[in-house]
Structure formats: structure tokens, C-alpha cells
Amino acid sequence: MDEWGNVPGLPDEAYEHDGLLTKQHQRASAFAVLRPLAGQLLWDVGTGSGSMAIEWCRAAQGARAIALERNAERADRARANAERLAPGQVEVRLGVAMDLLGDLPTPDAVFIGGGATSGVLDACWAALRPGGRLVA
């Protein structure tokens, strides 16, 4: 890994962001429920800086994430953060969550950081594998 290791809850300054960032203590707490496991897939809906997707991938061998972001500037920033902190493990898709969810592979876990409408929540919950975890 790098000087930060693989435990979720990297310092906020590890990320380039515009202020919309799931803060360090919130990330660490969310991962207690999300429980990253080797080879599993996370959907990070409303990824912002990509911090949740990145830390998911760093926490377990072979973990991967699909990060959804509707703002092009934030999507670009998330891609840059992912390439620096979890190269090749995070796929960032640009668009509105409800338009993108139907084309994604089945997740083991979902984090909804932005855009938590009832439609998004329902679609994510329905898509989870049995025993899947969701944090919003």
C-alpha cells in the first residue's frame, strides 16, 4: 500500500476535494457496516471526491468499486484521486444515478453519499446481493 495502510478512515487531506467529502470519522464509521471483503463490489452513489470507493478498494484484496457522480468536475476529481490512491480499482461513471443503476453489475455493498432519494434507495436496495450492506 502506501504510508496510510489499508484501514478505512484516511485523513481528509489525502483527497483533492471541493468541500463535498465524506469526512474521515464518517468514512471509518460507515465501513464498520459496509465491511469490505476480498473481491467484493461497492457502488458509491454520489461519489464526490471518490473517498468511499477508494477506501473500500484499499481495505480488501481484489475489492473494486463503481462510483457514480452527476457533476463532471467532481467525477474528474474522483478519477484523479482513485488513480493516485487505488489505481485500477475504481470505475467512475458520469451521470444521474437513476439513469446509471440499471446497467451496473450486482453489488455486495452500496454507499449513498449524495442524491439519496427514495427512488435511488429503493433501486439500490433491490439490486443488492443476499446479505448485502447499504449505508446512506
Side-chain angles (χ1 to χ4, degrees), residues 19-62:
L20 289 178
L21 170 76
T22 303
K23 303 299 186 258
Q24 180 181 19
H25 70 281
Q26 295 166 323
R27 289 191 309 274
S29 296
F31 280 113
V33 175
L34 291 172
R35 296 183 329 274
L37 298 172
Q40 290 196 338
L41 173 66
L42 172 77
W43 289 356
D44 181 3
V45 181
T47 197
S49 67
S51 62
M52 291 300 291
I54 290 165
E55 293 193 34
W56 169 272
C57 292
R58 292 171 59 94
Q61 185 174 3

Side-chain angles (χ1 to χ4, degrees), residues 72-121:
E73 186 176 331
R74 288 188 187 121
D76 288 344
R77 189 175 297 118
R79 283 187 194 97
N81 283 329
E83 278 308 307
R84 188 168 44 81
L85 296 167
Q89 294 175 274
V90 178
E91 176 187 346
V92 178
R93 295 191 185 187
L94 177 63
V96 176
M98 284 304 295
D99 295 341
L100 300 174
L101 292 173
D103 295 328
L104 301 178
T106 303
D108 298 287
V110 176
F111 179 79
I112 304 173
T117 65
S118 61
V120 168
L121 282 167

